[in-house]
């Protein structure tokens, strides 16, 4: 259906352009539906990293000076953008999440200053899977006339989202986190309320002037389809993933001295982050080379430092280094869960036994 479409969606003078534009606009409708947004509120970007940059730098550029509130366990796309803005003279408060890994709305309220122009808090943390109370944070922001940006790369398609009801002004989305293509994402930008967002990529004035450049038509079609599958599947998928996660946790918690990092209740269905005290994290990962788990997030795995996210929620460095992030997804089976549960129990037991032997020599 799509192979022959080579037109530029911005070329309005010929039929090839119209067809490409139709595909792009159809995808805009599909993604907007998942967020309960208006299609005109979707700005296509190259991914959530760019969306986070656009939201924060774009607003900062308008204000020129002032104060930003975020949290200390945001994705690097937000943290590094904030660091950059600090180097340009903006002030940033990094709210520390509580021991359950949640950014308390009251802590956000307490961090607001007279010249705070934006609050940026992630909906779901990518390493520990906890879900923040964005509705309440949104209410506080609206009441204080501060814009709210939400990095929702980990929540879109996994938990219900309603940008209007949650008073969200800008929201970052990533294609590959919803089973769509890599290199495509979007920033939801509320139309009402005159958000004075300035472009960070200048050019032909595409996307309401907020993001120039020829649209990645093929990827956009992909993210649109991915979004519509999420809309259709969310209600069925969430309980299924929850059941798989609980099955995994019931395996893992039989191992002595394991702990769940982050709230057990305020979490997305498909993710747990588990600490195995007394085990070397590197050795654990190496031994589990037949299981696709990770110690932190792919985004920061070039470093062997203990996870800054786990540090931020007060997990000790040694336990942080002995923690693994497990995700279950649309294609995970019960057999795989049982396999992983047994493999991890095995490996942890072996590593602990080796440690005890080494200690006794
Ligand atoms: C993956 C991720 C990003 C980055 O998304 P890209 O589309 O890969 O740029 C940003 N924030 C969070 C929370 C993520 O999980």
């Amino acid at each position: 259906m799509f192979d022959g479409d080579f037109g530029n969606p911005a070329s309005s003078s010929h039929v090839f352009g119209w067809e490409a534009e139709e595909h792009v606009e159809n995808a805009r409708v599909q993604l907007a539906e998942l967020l309960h947004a208006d299609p005109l509120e979707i700005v296509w970007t190259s991914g959530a990293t760019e969306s986070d940059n656009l939201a924060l730098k774009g607003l900062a550029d308008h204000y020129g000076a002032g104060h930003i509130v975020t949290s200390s366990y945001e994705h690097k796309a937000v943290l590094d953008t904030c660091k950059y803005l600090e180097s340009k003279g903006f002030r940033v408060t990094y709210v520390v999440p509580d021991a359950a890994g949640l950014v308390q709305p009251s802590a956000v309220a307490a961090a607001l200053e007279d010249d705070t122009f934006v609050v940026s808090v992630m909906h779901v943390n990518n390493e520990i899977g906890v879900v923040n109370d964005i509705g309440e944070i949104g209410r506080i922001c609206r009441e204080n006339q501060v814009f709210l940006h939400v990095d929702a790369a980990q929540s879109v398609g996994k938990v219900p989202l309603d940008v209007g009801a949650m008073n969200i002004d800008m929201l970052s989305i990533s294609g590959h986190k919803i089973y769509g293509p890599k290199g495509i994402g979007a920033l939801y930008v509320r139309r009402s309320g005159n958000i004075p967002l300035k472009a960070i990529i200048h050019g032909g004035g595409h996307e309401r002037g907020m993001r120039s450049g020829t649209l990645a038509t093929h990827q956009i079609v992909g993210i649109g389809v991915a979004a519509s599958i999420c809309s259709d599947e969310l209600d069925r998928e969430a309980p299924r993933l929850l059941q798989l996660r609980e099955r995994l946790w019931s395996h893992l918690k039989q191992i002595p001295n394991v702990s769940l990092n982050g709230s057990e209740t305020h979490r997305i269905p498909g993710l747990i982050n588990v600490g195995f005290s007394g085990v070397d994290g590197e050795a654990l990962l190496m031994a589990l080379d037949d299981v696709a788990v990770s110690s932190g997030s792919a985004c920061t795995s070039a470093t062997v430092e203990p996870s800054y996210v786990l540090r931020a929620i007060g997990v000790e460095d040694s336990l942080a280094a002995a923690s693994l992030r497990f995700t279950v997804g649309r294609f995970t089976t019960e057999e795989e869960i049982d396999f992983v549960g047994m493999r991890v129990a095995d490996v942890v037991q072996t590593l602990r036994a080796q440690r005890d032997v080494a200690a006794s020599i």
Side-chain angles (χ1 to χ4, degrees):
M1 134 221 167
F2 201 65
D3 285 354
D5 292 356
F6 54 84
N8 185 330
S11 297
S12 52
S13 61
H14 52 70
V15 64
F16 308 109
W18 301 336
E19 283 173 358
E21 191 197 3
E22 196 178 303
H23 292 304
V24 165
E25 295 316 310
N26 185 40
R28 218 187 282 282
V29 171
Q30 291 169 318
L31 181 56
E33 192 178 285
L34 187 56
L35 313 175
H36 293 92
D38 186 300
L40 290 169
E41 299 177 307
I42 303 295
V43 175
W44 299 118
T45 66
S46 62
T49 299
E50 186 188 327
S51 300
D52 290 345
N53 273 263
L54 172 56
L56 297 173
K57 289 181 193 164
L59 265 194
D61 191 23
H62 169 81
Y63 285 98
H67 180 244
I68 296 166
V69 173
T70 187
S71 79
S72 61
Y73 74 165
E74 294 293 312
H75 189 274
K76 290 286 183 187
V78 167
L79 289 181
D80 287 355
T81 301
C82 286
K83 290 266 142 56
Y84 168 78
L85 290 172
E86 281 184 287
S87 80
K88 295 289 170 191
F90 293 90
R91 292 163 8 260
V92 181
T93 299
Y94 300 88
V95 173
V96 177
D98 66 14
L102 299 168
V103 177
Q104 286 301 329
S106 57
V108 171
L112 297 177
E113 297 184 13
D114 288 345
D115 61 347
T116 306
F117 60 88
V118 68
V119 166
S120 179
V121 174
M122 67 201 320
H123 193 190
V124 168
N125 181 278
N126 46 309
E127 283 190 35
I128 56 176
V130 294
V131 185
N132 284 315
D133 187 355
I134 294 299
E136 182 58 14
I137 293 173
R139 198 191 58 72
I140 290 166
C141 289
R142 191 56 55 89
E143 198 175 277
N144 288 277
Q145 298 186 335
V146 174
F147 291 118
L148 173 62
H149 166 251
V150 176
D151 181 338
Q154 295 285 338
S155 66
V156 171
K158 303 194 172 81
V159 294
L161 257 170
D162 186 326
V163 285
M166 295 164 101
N167 287 318
I168 296 168
D169 297 301
M170 295 174 291
L171 179 124
S172 300
I173 301 136
S174 170
H176 65 104
K177 304 292 173 64
I178 62 168
Y179 305 91
K182 298 177 181 67
I184 184 69
L187 183 68
Y188 156 84
V189 183
R190 179 193 288 282
R191 278 215 300 166
S192 63
N194 292 322
I195 300 171
L197 193 68
K198 293 221 177 163
I200 58 173
I201 295 178
H202 303 95
H206 309 87
E207 300 296 285
R208 292 156 61 199
M210 288 186 237
R211 206 283 194 173
S212 290
T214 298
L215 292 172
T217 314
H218 304 73
Q219 272 106 317
I220 289 172
V221 169
I223 195 177
V225 172
S228 83
I229 294 172
C230 287
S231 293
D232 291 346
E233 293 296 318
L234 186 68
D235 291 345
R236 263 192 305 273
E237 192 162 274
R240 198 181 73 81
L241 295 187
L242 180 60
Q243 189 247 324
L244 287 175
R245 179 191 100 202
E246 281 175 344
R247 190 178 179 105
L248 178 61
W249 181 227
S250 69
H251 279 291
L252 298 181
K253 70 183 177 195
Q254 286 172 30
I255 306 170
N257 295 316
V258 299
S259 49
L260 184 68
N261 294 317
S263 164
E264 184 160 1
T265 46
H266 296 79
R267 92 173 23 259
I268 49 168
L271 201 170
I272 46 173
N273 189 309
V274 181
F276 302 91
S277 75
V279 175
D280 176 55
E282 283 289 290
L284 187 54
L285 262 189
M286 302 279 237
L288 288 171
D289 60 358
D290 51 353
V291 181
V293 288
S294 64
S295 52
S297 64
C299 325
T300 44
S301 61
T303 58
V304 286
E305 285 272 290
S307 150
Y308 70 90
V309 171
L310 294 179
R311 269 186 179 163
I313 69 166
V315 176
E316 270 183 51
D317 280 1
S318 60
L319 187 58
S323 292
L324 293 182
R325 170 187 186 272
F326 297 86
T327 58
V328 298
R330 187 172 291 161
F331 307 108
T332 310
T333 63
E334 286 191 353
E335 290 70 31
E336 287 168 331
I337 294 289
D338 295 342
F339 170 77
V340 168
M342 282 180 288
R343 280 285 286 132
V344 173
D346 229 33
V347 167
V348 169
Q349 213 166 15
T350 307
L351 289 174
R352 282 182 179 159
Q354 283 170 358
R355 177 204 55 180
D356 293 343
V357 169
S360 69
I361 297 174

